[in-house]
């Protein structure tokens, strides 16, 4: 009977969940970086990968290997992303097993498993219970297993025409989410792709699992939450920046959707 060797360790060196920087932020380190990095962007973002430099819509991910160029530029909107640096003898085998491309932007949209898994990683790193390093390794393998499965499902489920439609929808979504202060309507969104508003709303909801206006509202609220926690802006300024007609309207919707007031979120973020 063959005895399987345990997989190598994967160490998380540093991480951030929903980190935010103002529009115009740019990072382009050319110094040697002796670790891997996984990044997920909740915003339109200019990135470098093996194909060059271009702007991508919200919802893209990228795994950089040591010494890859790591250009990041928030050109169209504030930067909102989740990332972690990782390394260890188990990394190469993990990325290979789950067919995770290196230095290649991957456009999968929302990753519902990302935040819960990284919250567990954060808890393990802070509390450091017995065998916590093994737990972190297992969690990162689980993250890439989920990521690889989602990528495989999407790769195998779309026809060429569906891929073109998906790309158009993501481009429209990028333009809308890059200008949260604008008073968007479904008709104006649809006009970006020369589509009828009813058809646009139907395919958009099918693609993203949420209607265009509800998706926009969710993004506005998530962005407002990040601004409340990370930047010293007034609630009124945040409300207008994120496209709400008034502070009262913003407060009402925020409390209804988030379960607490903007002031409470700001206090929790400063603990």
């Amino acid at each position: 009977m063959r005895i399987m060797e345990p997989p190598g360790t994967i160490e998380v060196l540093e991480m951030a969940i929903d980190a935010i920087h103002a529009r115009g932020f740019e990072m382009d380190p050319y110094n040697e970086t002796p670790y891997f990095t996984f990044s997920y962007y909740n915003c339109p973002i200019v990135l470098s990968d093996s194909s060059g430099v271009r702007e991508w819509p919200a919802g893209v991910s990228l795994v950089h290997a040591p010494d890859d160029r790591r250009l990041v530029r928030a050109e169209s909107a504030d930067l909102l992303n989740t990332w972690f640096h990782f390394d260890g003898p188990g990394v190469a085998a993990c990325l290979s097993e789950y067919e995770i491309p290196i230095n290649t932007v991957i456009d999968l949209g929302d990753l519902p498993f990302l935040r819960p898994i990284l919250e567990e990683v954060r808890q393990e790193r802070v509390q450091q219970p017995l065998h916590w390093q093994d737990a972190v390794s297992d969690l990162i393998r689980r993250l890439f297993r989920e990521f690889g499965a989602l990528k495989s499902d999407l790769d195998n489920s779309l026809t060429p025409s569906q891929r073109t439609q998906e790309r158009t929808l993501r481009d429209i979504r990028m333009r809308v989410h890059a200008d949260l202060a604008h008073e968007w309507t479904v008709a104006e969104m649809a006009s970006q792709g020369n589509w009828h508003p009813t058809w646009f709303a139907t395919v958009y909801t099918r693609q993203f699992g949420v209607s265009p206006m509800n998706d926009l509202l969710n993004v506005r609220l998530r962005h407002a939450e990040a601004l409340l926690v990370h930047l010293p802006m007034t609630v009124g300024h945040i409300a207008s920046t994120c496209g709400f007609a008034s502070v009262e309207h913003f407060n009402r919707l925020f409390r209804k959707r988030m379960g607490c007031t903007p002031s409470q979120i700001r206090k929790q973020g400063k603990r």
Side-chain angles (χ1 to χ4, degrees):
M1 179 178 178
R2 182 183 176 187
I3 299 176
M4 299 294 293
E5 294 184 2
T9 300
I10 300 175
E11 181 183 1
V12 173
L13 308 173
E14 192 176 357
M15 61 182 290
I17 299 174
D18 289 340
I20 189 168
H21 296 278
R23 181 183 302 192
F25 172 85
E26 180 171 352
M27 178 180 69
D28 190 10
Y30 280 94
N31 57 306
E32 293 185 1
T33 308
Y35 48 71
F36 291 81
T37 300
F38 172 91
S39 302
Y40 173 76
Y41 296 91
N42 297 50
C43 60
I45 191 71
V46 175
L47 297 170
S48 62
D49 70 355
S50 57
S51 65
V53 177
R54 58 158 286 190
E55 186 171 37
W56 294 85
V60 300
S61 307
L62 179 60
V63 176
H64 277 125
D67 303 333
D68 284 340
R69 184 186 180 189
R70 304 184 182 209
L71 169 67
V72 177
R73 184 167 66 245
E75 194 168 275
S76 301
D78 292 340
L79 171 62
L80 184 62
N81 75 320
T82 294
W83 55 267
F84 60 92
H85 301 318
F86 62 108
D87 202 3
V91 169
C94 175
L95 297 178
S96 175
E97 180 178 0
Y98 300 123
E99 300 181 348
I100 309 299
I102 300 296
N103 200 22
T104 302
V105 173
I106 306 170
D107 188 356
L108 299 182
D110 294 333
L111 304 180
F113 53 85
L114 179 62
R115 184 173 187 135
I117 291 176
L118 290 185
E119 291 286 7
E120 290 188 60
V121 171
R122 175 186 282 169
Q123 184 174 354
E124 292 290 340
R125 295 178 75 234
V126 170
Q127 297 181 354
Q128 297 192 359
L130 187 64
H131 305 308
W132 68 272
Q133 296 97 331
D134 293 338
V136 168
S137 295
D138 291 342
L139 285 165
I140 296 303
R141 287 191 186 89
R142 180 176 140 206
L143 188 155
F144 284 122
R145 183 169 64 249
E146 297 272 5
F147 188 90
L150 179 60
K151 180 179 182 300
S152 177
D153 288 345
L154 289 178
D155 287 345
N156 296 327
S157 64
L158 298 179
T159 65
S161 63
Q162 287 172 329
R163 289 185 187 280
T164 300
Q165 177 177 282
E166 181 192 41
R167 179 75 270 155
T168 301
L169 285 169
R170 291 197 181 280
D171 286 343
I172 294 172
R173 194 180 191 222
M174 178 179 72
R175 290 194 289 270
V176 171
H177 292 180
D179 192 2
L180 296 179
H182 184 73
E183 295 182 10
W184 290 100
T185 65
V186 172
E188 187 177 5
M189 294 181 197
S191 70
Q192 304 288 312
N194 296 316
W195 286 345
H196 188 278
T198 301
W199 171 246
F200 169 75
T202 299
V203 296
Y204 191 103
T205 302
R206 186 186 305 146
Q207 172 69 36
F208 300 114
V210 62
S211 70
M213 296 309 294
N214 268 322
D215 189 30
L216 176 57
L217 176 57
N218 290 338
V219 171
R220 282 172 166 161
L221 290 172
R222 286 200 302 269
H223 191 59
E225 180 184 13
L227 293 176
L228 286 163
V229 171
H230 296 289
L231 296 181
M233 298 168 63
T234 66
V235 173
H237 189 187
I238 290 173
S240 62
T241 297
C242 295
F244 294 96
S246 67
V247 175
E248 293 75 19
H249 184 226
F250 169 60
N251 285 336
R252 184 169 64 255
L253 286 174
F254 194 95
R255 184 165 189 169
K256 181 178 179 180
R257 294 290 185 105
M258 311 298 281
C260 59
T261 67
S263 296
Q264 287 170 329
I265 282 287
R266 172 157 279 169
K267 289 178 182 177
Q268 291 172 10
K270 291 182 177 179
R271 288 178 182 174

